[in-house]
Amino acid sequence: MVKKVTKFLGYFVFFILALMYFAPKVSLYYFLESRLAPLGIIISTEDATDRGFTLDVNNANISFKSIESANIAEINVKIFALYNAIDFKNITLSTAVKSFVPLHAESANVRYTILDPLNLKATLKGEFGEAEAEFNISKYALHLELLPSDLMLKEYKTTLQNMKKNESGRYLYDKNI
């Protein structure tokens, strides 16, 4: 009996790994891109490459409602059964937001796990400092905690005034979308 269960689990794990490896990730990426277009989100000039268990997207220009919003040098998408993550590196925002936040972010990491199915979590690092965000899918609620950099504290006081400062020096922002 133990041998049959072990054999079944071995085949099951092999099937899941094979499914993840051979999934048409590039085609799924372009399908997602076509679903974002009616929302006004256009991703252009990117190069998508299937790396087996991950998908790499390089040099993506993102526009929102025909306004260029960001350039992202590297995107790495990891879609696994229990844990999914998207890593962004070298993000440059449009100059339209220069009066609100610094334009360069080193990295952003967005995570989703079925162990916490209602929340997307993210960590961000850049000229603005370090931030942690959580988005509740069911309530459409965003919670952001920012540990601002010296640049953010000196040049972007107006933005920080729209946030609540807690006793540890972090700035909090909560919004229901």
Side-chain angles (χ1 to χ4, degrees):
M1 181 67 168
V2 172
K3 188 175 182 180
K4 286 183 179 183
V5 170
T6 305
K7 192 175 184 180
F8 171 77
L9 288 176
Y11 282 129
F12 181 74
V13 168
F14 174 77
F15 174 75
I16 295 298
L17 290 174
L19 185 65
M20 288 187 302
Y21 187 84
F22 292 112
K25 289 175 266 321
V26 174
S27 297
L28 291 171
Y29 168 77
Y30 286 117
F31 175 74
L32 174 65
E33 187 176 294
S34 71
R35 301 296 293 175
L36 291 173
L39 301 173
I41 301 170
I42 305 295
I43 305 170
S44 59
T45 70
E46 77 277 14
D47 176 34
T49 307
D50 187 342
R51 299 274 183 222
F53 288 107
T54 64
L55 174 70
D56 289 341
V57 180
N58 295 313
N59 303 316
N61 290 323
I62 300 173
S63 301
F64 181 68
K65 302 220 182 213
S66 301
I67 299 170
E68 188 174 323
S69 302
N71 294 319
I72 304 173
E74 299 174 36
I75 304 170
N76 181 268
V77 181
K78 300 172 193 132
I79 301 175
F80 301 117
L82 302 174
Y83 176 82
N84 304 302
I86 304 175
D87 295 319
F88 301 92
K89 292 185 180 171
N90 296 322
I91 305 160
T92 305
L93 300 176
S94 168
T95 55
V97 297
K98 187 175 184 174
S99 61
F100 302 110
V101 293
L103 299 181
H104 184 71
E106 295 168 26
S107 64
N109 175 274
V110 180
R111 302 168 308 283
Y112 175 79
T113 176
I114 64 167
L115 301 175
D116 187 10
L118 298 179
N119 293 304
L120 288 171
K121 296 184 180 183
T123 54
L124 305 105
K125 208 181 255 191
E127 292 178 340
F128 53 84
E130 296 180 12
E132 293 183 13
E134 186 171 310
F135 181 74
N136 186 294
I137 297 169
S138 66
K139 297 177 184 175
Y140 283 63
L142 173 68
H143 174 75
L144 177 77
E145 280 190 35
L146 172 69
L147 181 59
S149 65
D150 291 336
L151 174 68
M152 190 77 181
L153 289 169
K154 289 177 187 172
E155 296 185 25
Y156 298 96
K157 293 178 184 177
T158 307
T159 300
L160 293 175
Q161 287 175 351
N162 293 321
M163 304 173 95
K164 296 177 188 170
K165 186 175 179 181
N166 68 10
E167 57 279 346
S168 67
R170 290 183 173 267
Y171 287 80
L172 308 175
Y173 179 77
D174 292 299
K175 176 82 174 174
N176 288 330
I177 299 173

